[in-house]
């Protein structure tokens, strides 16, 4: 991760935006920017993530740098920050196991979690992303919740529960998940527990007070530190009053459960289920307000993978079924070992404890009621695998400990030493595939570690736009955060997808699938585009086909071996004419070149990306030729040499009008064009030819040149 040219952040591109936000926070301390005018340019967007994770990194970097950390120190602190949180989670899991299953700290659970790449992947060096903070807070929420209805310090635990829930909403916009977990357990235990069960009342009391504390803390902190007016908005993006409403509804739900258990105790589980339905319906009445619908709809879209963007994101995909089994099974075993197979065996000791320890049934139910749905959710959506990991570790440790006790009795091994040795061996056997395939399990490579891509974007950052009012970069959305980080330029599509600009992906597709230059130009003008970063157009078309405008003809076919084969309409796309033919007239065709696009630099294929080309949009130099022959065909060409030393010819043709004049729009200036050099142009009229120069001022200033070839024919 640490290279001579700086830190390389890994896995995906989100860490780059986290670090960019950290750098902005340090420059504007103590403010953490809630929005970015350079995303979805020129509209700007509210940053999806709440600011606590980035603010914590910024505060740590400021402390390490005595208030003035260098950019290099900020990157180093950010690179190691997830490791600290990951280790803290490993340390918290033994105590969580103790709270849920009893006994001393479950060190075996900590060992399992420490060995699993499904956890380490979120906390490796070079991945400063909030996911690792989400999981740590999730474990602390469960720990506080477990102690809120049992133990000696219940009031302190309830206060800690409220603090953790409030901190969760300051960390991740989807932290309603934490509220849903405690509410789900409370609802289930209300139905299962008998009418006079004290734990059910204590649990309801703890959730009601904890959710109220969370809502109050979040509201007060939002007024004190949040953007103006945030408390009155209802959205999942950034900071809003939506978490306060959710906390209030959860507190009302728990208070309702507490009230019915005290005033109308029911002996039948069916009756208690009916009570639950009534209380839940009353507590959820605020959801009928239309202002609450947008965040609910956004959350439902993400979970259901509905929409054209969510369906392409791997973290919203099922754990199994994305790839052929011969590829997928080894990868999943590398991440999880045999934990998915062994964890369900924990029901054996849990069932025994249920029979033998009636007083612990509430907490045993809590563990099962959390583990089971997250087990299912992780299979359904990869995103929940990080949350499942600590629960799997506890369940595996429980199952292996029970098996070790049975083996110790059979082998007549006396004392804790023999049983402990068997437990350690068992835990290591469960995680055997993990150490054996640690590289595959972690797979740290990503766009951010592609040195070729990083170098190209840094070179892009040194290039000025042709016009000050067109500073933005058009690229596929996975590159957006990297363009912001390494090139320091505004972008349209970005790593937030549809959450980073509702129309950003549609406008990119409108350009990419445009069949004529006029349509492409309208999109670029609307978005103030001065630069295009293009890879293989076939990859663009294949990946972004879901966003293609209605009526787009078939563009690609796939062979039996899975290879893409372009269809004729593919070569008529503006993105193909620019990316493949560099905006030149296509071979064998008499047509005008695309005079608004000039190649500025190009790269070889990188470790992750295909070869990239960076084009600049220019007004172009309008050149008029007087040829004196109506309908005469004129050809203009220029020899170019790229930064890689590649030489190619840019061509354009035009026919003279009835007055004997031909006009062209030329994008290259004679001499340097970014990192590309252009020779003098050559004009060919019949058997004759001549050379001419085009100054940069003409290309950038919408200038015009005129040549009289009728009175001075070329030679």
């Amino acid at each position: 991760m640490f290279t001579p040219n700086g830190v390389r952040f890994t896995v995906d591109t989100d860490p780059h935006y986290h670090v960019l936000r950290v750098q902005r926070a340090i420059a504007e301390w103590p403010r953490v920017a809630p929005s970015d005018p350079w995303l979805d340019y020129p509209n700007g967007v509210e940053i999806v993530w709440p600011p606590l994770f980035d603010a914590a990194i910024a505060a740590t970097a400021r402390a390490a740098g005595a208030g003035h950390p260098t950019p290099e120190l900020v990157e180093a602190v950010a690179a190691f920050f997830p490791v600290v949180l990951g280790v803290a989670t490993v340390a918290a899991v033994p105590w969580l196991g103790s709270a849920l299953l009893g006994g001393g700290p479950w060190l075996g659970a900590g060992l399992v979690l420490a060995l699993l790449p499904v956890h380490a992947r979120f906390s490796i060096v070079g991945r400063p992303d909030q996911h690792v903070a989400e999981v740590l807070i999730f474990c602390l929420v469960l720990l506080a919740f477990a102690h809120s209805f049992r133990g000696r310090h219940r009031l302190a635990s309830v206060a800690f529960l409220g603090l953790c829930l409030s901190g969760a909403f300051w960390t991740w916009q989807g932290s309603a998940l934490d509220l849903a977990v405690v509410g789900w357990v409370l609802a289930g235990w209300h139905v299962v527990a008998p009418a006079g069960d004290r734990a059910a009342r204590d649990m309801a009391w703890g959730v009601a007070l904890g959710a109220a504390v969370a809502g109050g803390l979040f509201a007060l902190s939002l007024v004190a530190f949040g953007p103006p007016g945030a408390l009155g908005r209802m959205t999942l993006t950034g900071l809003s009053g939506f978490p306060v409403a959710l906390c209030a509804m959860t507190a009302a739900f728990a208070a309702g459960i507490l009230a019915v258990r005290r005033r109308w105790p029911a002996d039948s589980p069916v009756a208690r289920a009916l009570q639950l339905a009534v209380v839940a319906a009353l507590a959820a009445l605020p959801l009928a307000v239309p202002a609450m619908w947008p965040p609910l709809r956004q959350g439902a879209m993400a979970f259901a993978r509905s929409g054209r963007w969510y369906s392409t994101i791997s973290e919203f995909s099922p754990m199994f079924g994305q790839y052929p089994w011969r590829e997928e099974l080894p990868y999943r075993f590398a991440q999880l070992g045999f934990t998915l197979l062994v964890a369900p065996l924990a029901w054996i000791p849990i069932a025994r404890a249920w029979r033998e320890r009636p007083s612990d049934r509430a907490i045993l139910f809590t563990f099962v009621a959390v583990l089971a749905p997250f087990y299912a959710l992780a299979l359904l959506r990869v995103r929940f695998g990080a949350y499942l990991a600590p629960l799997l570790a506890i369940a595996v440790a429980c199952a292996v400990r029970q098996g070790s006790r049975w083996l110790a009795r059979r082998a007549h091994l006396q004392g804790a030493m023999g049983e402990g040795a068997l437990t350690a061996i068992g835990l290591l056997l469960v995680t055997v595939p993990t150490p054996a395939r640690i590289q595959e399990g972690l797979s740290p490579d990503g766009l951010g570690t592609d040195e070729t891509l990083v170098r190209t974007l840094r070179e892009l950052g040194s290039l000025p736009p042709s016009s000050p009012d067109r500073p933005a970069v058009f690229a596929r959305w996975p590159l957006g955060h990297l363009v912001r980080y390494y090139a320091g330029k505004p972008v349209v599509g970005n790593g937030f997808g549809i959450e980073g600009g509702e129309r950003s992906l549609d406008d990119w597709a409108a350009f990419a699938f445009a069949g004529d230059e006029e349509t492409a130009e309208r999109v670029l003008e609307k978005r103030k585009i001065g630069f295009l970063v293009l890879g293989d157009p076939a990859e663009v078309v294949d990946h972004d086909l879901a966003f293609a405008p209605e009526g787009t003809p078939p563009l690609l076919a796939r062979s039996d071996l899975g290879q893409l084969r372009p269809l004729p309409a593919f070569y008529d796309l503006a993105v193909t004419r620019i990316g493949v033919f560099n905006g030149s007239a296509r071979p064998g065709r008499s047509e005008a070149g695309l005079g608004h696009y000039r190649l500025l630099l190009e790269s070889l294929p990188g470790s992750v990306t295909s070869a990239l080309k960076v084009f600049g949009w220019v007004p172009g130099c309008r050149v008029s030729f007087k040829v004196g022959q109506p309908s005469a065909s004129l050809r203009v060409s220029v020899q170019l040499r790229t930064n890689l030393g590649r030489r190619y010819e840019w061509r354009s043709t035009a026919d003279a009008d009835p007055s004997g004049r031909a006009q062209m729009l030329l994008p290259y200036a004679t001499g340097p064009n970014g990192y590309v050099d252009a020779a003098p142009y050559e004009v060919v009229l019949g058997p004759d030819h001549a050379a001419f120069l085009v100054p940069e001022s003409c290309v950038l200033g919408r200038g015009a040149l005129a040549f009289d070839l009728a009175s001075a024919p070329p030679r």
Side-chain angles (χ1 to χ4, degrees), residues 598-691:
R598 62 175 175 181
L599 182 66
L600 300 176
L601 68 100
E602 63 181 357
S603 74
L604 294 171
S607 60
V608 177
T609 56
S610 60
L612 294 176
K613 294 179 180 179
V614 176
F615 291 87
W617 182 93
V618 292
C621 182
R622 299 191 177 278
V623 182
S624 173
F625 299 95
K626 182 179 180 181
V627 298
Q629 305 173 29
S631 302
S633 181
L634 194 73
R635 180 170 67 89
V636 169
S637 63
V638 60
Q639 296 293 324
L640 302 160
R641 182 171 58 85
T642 74
N643 55 302
L644 298 180
R646 180 174 70 93
R647 297 179 182 273
Y648 73 95
E649 183 181 72
W650 186 92
R651 301 180 307 279
S652 184
T653 61
D655 295 330
D657 61 20
S659 68
R661 292 183 179 275
Q663 292 187 347
M664 291 183 182
L665 186 66
L666 304 180
Y668 290 95
T670 304
N673 296 260
Y675 291 88
V676 174
D677 289 323
Y681 282 86
E682 183 180 59
V683 55
V684 177
L685 179 62
D688 300 317
H689 59 88

Side-chain angles (χ1 to χ4, degrees), residues 476-502:
R476 293 177 59 194
W477 67 262
L479 298 182
H481 289 337
L482 298 180
V483 173
R484 282 285 286 112
Y485 192 81
Y486 290 112
K489 295 184 181 298
V491 295
V492 179
N494 56 81
F496 295 138
I498 60 173
E499 298 170 1
E502 188 174 356

Side-chain angles (χ1 to χ4, degrees), residues 132-144:
V132 64
E134 294 173 36
V135 178
L136 175 58
I137 293 175
F138 172 69
C139 291
L140 296 178
V141 165
L142 289 181
L143 186 61

Side-chain angles (χ1 to χ4, degrees), residues 352-682:
R352 176 177 296 177
W354 183 277
R355 293 192 306 269
E356 297 176 353
R357 301 182 344 236
S359 60
D360 288 339
R361 286 180 178 177
I363 197 64
L364 294 173
F365 175 85
T366 299
F367 178 61
V368 174
V370 176
L371 173 64
F374 272 99
Y375 194 99
L377 286 172
L379 294 177
L380 189 63
R381 297 288 180 263
V382 171
R383 180 70 170 81
F384 295 103
Y387 287 85
L388 177 63
L391 302 172
L392 273 182
I394 296 170
V396 166
C398 179
V400 170
R401 178 186 290 187
Q402 179 67 21
S404 299
R405 288 175 178 171
W406 183 83
L407 284 176
R409 288 195 301 269
R410 289 290 181 126
H412 303 291
L413 294 175
Q414 302 297 323
M417 186 68 72
E419 183 181 318
L422 288 175
T423 300
I425 293 171
L427 293 175
L428 291 175
L429 288 176
V430 171
T431 57
V432 158
T434 296
R437 307 187 71 121
I438 192 75
Q439 179 73 24
E440 186 177 358
L442 293 176
S443 58
D445 290 339
L447 287 170
T449 59
D450 190 327
E451 289 290 343
T452 300
L453 173 60
V454 171
R455 183 171 59 252
T456 300
L457 295 182
R458 281 182 166 163
E459 290 171 343
L460 167 61
S462 69
L463 298 173
S466 62
S467 174
D469 63 349
R470 299 187 72 150
V473 178
F474 227 4
R476 293 177 59 194
W477 67 262
L479 298 182
H481 289 337
L482 298 180
V483 173
R484 282 285 286 112
Y485 192 81
Y486 290 112
K489 295 184 181 298
V491 295
V492 179
N494 56 81
F496 295 138
I498 60 173
E499 298 170 1
E502 188 174 356
R503 291 287 309 172
S504 62
L505 300 187
D506 289 323
D507 284 346
W508 161 256
F511 163 77
F513 292 94
D516 59 275
E517 187 178 4
E518 291 75 18
T519 301
E521 276 297 303
R522 284 196 297 270
V523 177
L524 298 187
E525 182 178 8
K526 169 187 174 183
R527 288 295 187 164
K528 311 296 184 184
I529 299 301
F531 301 94
L532 298 171
V533 179
L534 298 178
D536 182 355
E539 292 181 1
V540 173
V541 170
D542 183 54
H543 186 270
D544 298 336
L545 190 59
F547 291 91
E550 187 176 353
T552 299
L555 300 169
L556 297 171
R558 194 175 293 275
S559 69
D560 294 338
L561 299 177
Q563 297 176 329
L564 295 174
R565 178 173 58 84
L567 299 176
F570 171 79
Y571 294 103
D572 293 328
L573 298 179
V575 71
T576 305
R577 292 196 60 189
I578 299 170
V580 174
F581 302 107
N582 305 301
S584 173
R586 286 166 286 184
R589 297 199 185 189
S590 178
E591 62 185 4
L594 303 181
H596 286 301
Y597 311 96
R598 62 175 175 181
L599 182 66
L600 300 176
L601 68 100
E602 63 181 357
S603 74
L604 294 171
S607 60
V608 177
T609 56
S610 60
L612 294 176
K613 294 179 180 179
V614 176
F615 291 87
W617 182 93
V618 292
C621 182
R622 299 191 177 278
V623 182
S624 173
F625 299 95
K626 182 179 180 181
V627 298
Q629 305 173 29
S631 302
S633 181
L634 194 73
R635 180 170 67 89
V636 169
S637 63
V638 60
Q639 296 293 324
L640 302 160
R641 182 171 58 85
T642 74
N643 55 302
L644 298 180
R646 180 174 70 93
R647 297 179 182 273
Y648 73 95
E649 183 181 72
W650 186 92
R651 301 180 307 279
S652 184
T653 61
D655 295 330
D657 61 20
S659 68
R661 292 183 179 275
Q663 292 187 347
M664 291 183 182
L665 186 66
L666 304 180
Y668 290 95
T670 304
N673 296 260
Y675 291 88
V676 174
D677 289 323
Y681 282 86
E682 183 180 59

